[in-house]
């Protein structure tokens, strides 16, 4: 699938930035699978969610998979890029830096609460010139509700070393690949011992743990599309649905069915 580089600067210039008086501005855009927004930075914070589709966001030496029922918070001043994994209808919401719902420069994946969904819909449908006090109240309620949403720890740290990055990029592209660390060593031109040392030094975890993080991150969009858990497990390289569910529960403290609110 050919990659399409999308010019974000033109899009930003076409839309009003947030201000202290109007701390939130919203817009929408459709992006096709394989579209890429090259690394860029904003003077405002960005709360981005999708009405449909799946995207990958890279920032702060980490990668996040963001399916449609999640949102990502990217603080002002943080360089980030976006890769569209499935045709996506994005809702980037710009937040005035002085009204950021979270302190610091850490990105977060959030689960949209039912209330936040309704508030975002109401703000999107609000006519700019009609009842400005209502628009102000909606913005204040949104900024109050965002930090109350559940944070989902699906973060995949990324390395700087070129050899390790080649391995990590390949596994992110194909998380079900069954190669051992020794097998990857032959692919990327580094010994197994060197790669093991790099994983611990640059990513703070071993190869197996990092691969599990990647697989769990990729599970979200697959499950969101309605793929049966047995098929998700097979596609991500697990021996069985039970093995996948056990690893999921170990990481998130609950089963995939509970996490995603699926019907048993």
């Amino acid at each position: 699938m050919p990659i399409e580089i999308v010019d974000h600067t033109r899009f930003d210039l076409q839309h009003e930035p947030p201000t202290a008086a109007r701390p939130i501005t919203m817009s929408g855009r459709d992006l096709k699978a394989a579209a890429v927004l090259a690394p860029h930075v904003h003077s405002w914070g960005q709360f981005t969610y999708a009405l449909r589709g799946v995207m990958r966001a890279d920032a702060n030496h980490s990668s996040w998979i963001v399916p449609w029922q999640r949102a990502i918070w990217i603080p002002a001043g943080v360089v980030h890029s976006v890769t569209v994994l499935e045709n996506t209808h994005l809702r980037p919401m710009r937040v005035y830096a002085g009204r950021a719902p979270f302190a610091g420069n850490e990105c977060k994946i959030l689960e949209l609460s039912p209330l936040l969904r309704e508030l975002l819909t109401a703000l999107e449908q609000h006519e700019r010139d009609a009842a400005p006090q209502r628009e102000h109240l909606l913005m204040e309620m949104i900024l109050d509700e965002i930090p109350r949403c559940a944070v989902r720890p699906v973060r995949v740290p990324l390395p700087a070393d070129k050899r390790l990055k080649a391995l990590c990029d390949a596994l992110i592209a194909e998380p079900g690949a069954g190669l051992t660390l020794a097998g990857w060593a032959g692919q990327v031109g580094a010994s197994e011992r060197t790669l093991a040392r790099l994983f611990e030094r640059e990513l703070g975890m071993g190869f197996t743990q990092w691969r599990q993080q990647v697989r769990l991150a990729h599970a979200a969009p697959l499950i969101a599309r309605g793929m049966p858990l047995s098929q998700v497990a097979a596609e991500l390289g697990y021996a069985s649905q039970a093995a996948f569910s056990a690893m999921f529960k170990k990481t998130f403290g609950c089963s995939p069915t509970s996490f995603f609110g699926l019907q048993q």
Side-chain angles (χ1 to χ4, degrees):
M1 185 179 296
I3 294 175
E4 176 193 1
I5 304 298
V6 178
D7 182 4
H8 73 90
T9 55
R10 181 182 302 176
F11 181 80
D12 287 344
L13 290 172
Q14 291 172 346
H15 296 88
E16 186 178 359
T19 63
R22 192 165 182 256
I24 291 175
T25 61
M26 299 179 70
S27 58
R29 67 188 308 183
D30 289 307
L31 294 172
K32 294 189 178 297
V36 173
L37 278 68
H40 59 285
V41 65
H42 304 297
S43 60
W44 54 79
Q46 194 147 296
F47 182 85
T48 300
Y49 61 102
L51 297 182
R52 63 175 182 272
V54 181
M55 63 179 174
R56 167 187 167 187
D58 291 352
N60 288 344
H61 305 293
S62 297
S63 181
W64 291 266
I65 306 296
V66 190
W68 65 268
Q69 77 272 42
R70 303 283 187 264
I72 184 167
W73 164 253
I74 301 174
V78 171
V79 177
H80 59 282
S81 63
V82 174
T83 301
V84 179
L85 303 180
E86 295 181 357
N87 291 350
T88 300
H89 186 62
L90 290 181
R91 278 287 187 272
M93 186 178 79
R94 303 166 190 80
V95 179
Y96 182 64
R99 296 297 309 278
F102 301 101
N105 67 346
E106 181 183 347
C107 298
K108 298 178 184 293
I109 295 291
L110 304 168
E111 182 177 358
L112 297 181
S113 67
L115 175 57
L116 184 56
R117 289 180 188 277
E118 295 300 326
L119 289 169
L120 292 169
T121 299
L123 182 60
E124 180 186 359
Q125 296 174 349
H126 180 77
E127 295 291 338
R128 175 73 185 275
D129 297 327
Q133 68 274 19
R134 174 177 167 79
E135 181 185 59
H136 175 75
L137 288 172
L138 287 171
M139 291 181 183
E140 291 299 320
M141 291 183 69
I142 287 171
L143 292 173
D144 180 74
E145 182 65 13
I146 287 176
R148 300 173 188 271
C149 291
V151 176
R152 297 304 186 189
V154 187
R155 168 184 170 269
V156 178
L158 297 175
D161 183 90
K162 291 182 179 179
R163 296 162 297 178
L164 190 57
K165 188 175 186 303
L167 187 165
C168 292
D169 285 346
L171 259 179
I172 288 174
E174 190 180 350
L179 283 177
T180 64
L181 190 58
W184 283 111
Q187 298 275 342
V188 302
S191 70
E192 180 180 2
R193 177 179 291 183
T194 295
L195 289 177
R197 187 172 64 249
L198 287 170
F199 265 106
E200 292 293 344
R201 188 181 73 196
E202 296 208 9
L203 303 178
M205 63 184 75
F207 166 72
T208 300
Q209 184 182 356
W210 186 87
R211 183 175 61 183
Q212 288 169 354
Q213 288 290 94
V214 171
R215 289 175 171 178
L216 289 170
H218 275 270
L222 298 178
I223 295 172
R225 291 205 302 268
M227 182 180 288
L229 291 180
S230 58
Q231 190 176 341
V232 173
E235 187 150 327
L236 295 180
Y238 288 91
S240 66
Q241 178 179 333
F244 166 70
S245 296
M247 181 52 58
F248 194 99
K249 187 171 184 178
K250 181 179 179 181
T251 302
F252 296 108
C254 63
S255 67
T257 52
S258 298
F259 187 91
F260 290 98
L262 303 175
Q263 295 293 324
Q264 299 267 6

